[in-house]
Amino acid sequence: MDPLRFAERPAAGEAAGLLVLHHGRGSDEQDMLALGDALDRERALHLVAPRAPLRLGQAPGWHWYLVPRVGYPDRDTFFAAYRQLAGLHDELWQRTGIAQARTVLGGFSMGTVMSYALGLGPDRPAPAGILAFSGFVPTVEGWQPQLPRPTKAFVAHGRADPIMEIGFARRARELLEASGMDVVYREGDHGHWIEPEDVAAAAAWLTAVVPSG
């Protein structure tokens, strides 16, 4: 299995932590570099944006897994991406020397699904935080979230989202909070995109979760 390609932006000085952002369906790593710059304007964090492994015919961009039904990723392609991301995350922690406890996994849409999967996976270490824009905790045979975890979560979603309906975010919030996890939750009247107000709130949350200095 080939390693995942990724883009990388080092911190301005000694990194306070590691931010790994996973892009959405049909996109690529460059979208997440731009998001990372907006979330971490002071460049306090080492930023990494992986590229998903699947290219589907002539469709643009890259995909983490196949989608037979929203909320229920295809098992084989999900676990293939899961293993590749696990390998990349492990390599990043070893290479950078930044601990899992100073790492935030995040993303948008399908990238949020993978952030939940790797951040809550029973065979994976607990990160400091999960940054979840417009996604869901996946339902996949053979995978269950390990809860609770000493991981904070920031969840933002649009009530008018036609791709991943708002119920996914509400159920994720209920699941995490019921286990005792710390969740910041925001929903607005927008669709399947990230609102500037949510980026600003997430940036403040990120600074609190992985403080510089």
Side-chain angles (χ1 to χ4, degrees):
M1 184 178 296
D2 293 334
L4 294 175
R5 296 185 180 185
F6 59 91
E8 195 165 17
R9 189 219 68 186
E14 182 177 355
L18 176 65
L19 176 61
V20 186
L21 295 177
H22 309 96
H23 66 77
R25 180 182 185 184
S27 183
D28 64 27
E29 66 277 15
Q30 296 304 317
D31 277 356
M32 293 297 100
L33 284 185
L35 176 61
D37 284 340
L39 291 168
D40 179 32
R41 293 186 182 279
E42 302 300 319
R43 296 179 65 132
L45 306 175
H46 189 100
L47 170 64
V48 175
R51 178 190 294 179
L54 294 178
R55 200 75 183 263
L56 303 181
Q58 300 300 312
W62 301 83
H63 305 249
W64 292 104
Y65 53 81
L66 299 177
V67 185
R69 177 184 170 196
V70 176
Y72 299 82
D74 167 73
R75 186 180 187 278
D76 290 345
T77 51
F78 169 84
F79 275 112
Y82 185 96
R83 289 189 294 269
Q84 286 176 290
L85 270 180
L88 175 61
H89 294 172
D90 290 345
E91 187 273 331
L92 289 172
W93 290 321
Q94 182 177 22
R95 174 166 60 85
T96 65
I98 300 171
Q100 296 94 330
R102 291 191 293 129
T103 297
V104 171
L105 304 180
F108 172 70
S109 189
M110 190 178 272
T112 284
V113 177
M114 298 312 297
S115 300
Y116 276 136
L118 275 294
L120 303 176
D123 60 336
R124 302 302 299 156
I130 296 172
L131 186 56
F133 290 110
S134 303
F136 55 79
V137 177
T139 299
V140 183
E141 181 184 357
W143 182 88
Q144 289 287 334
Q146 183 185 66
L147 299 171
R149 304 206 121 192
T151 298
K152 300 180 186 300
F154 180 99
V155 180
H157 210 110
R159 285 188 288 270
D161 191 331
I163 308 298
M164 296 180 177
E165 55 95 12
I166 188 63
F168 285 121
R170 293 170 179 170
R171 288 189 291 274
R173 177 191 189 182
E174 291 169 2
L175 175 70
L176 301 180
E177 286 186 340
S179 76
M181 289 174 60
D182 184 329
V183 181
V184 172
Y185 181 83
R186 294 170 61 90
E187 63 177 67
D189 292 327
H190 57 91
H192 195 63
W193 61 77
I194 303 174
E195 285 285 281
E197 294 85 356
D198 290 335
V199 173
W205 173 87
L206 189 61
T207 300
V209 171
V210 188
S212 59

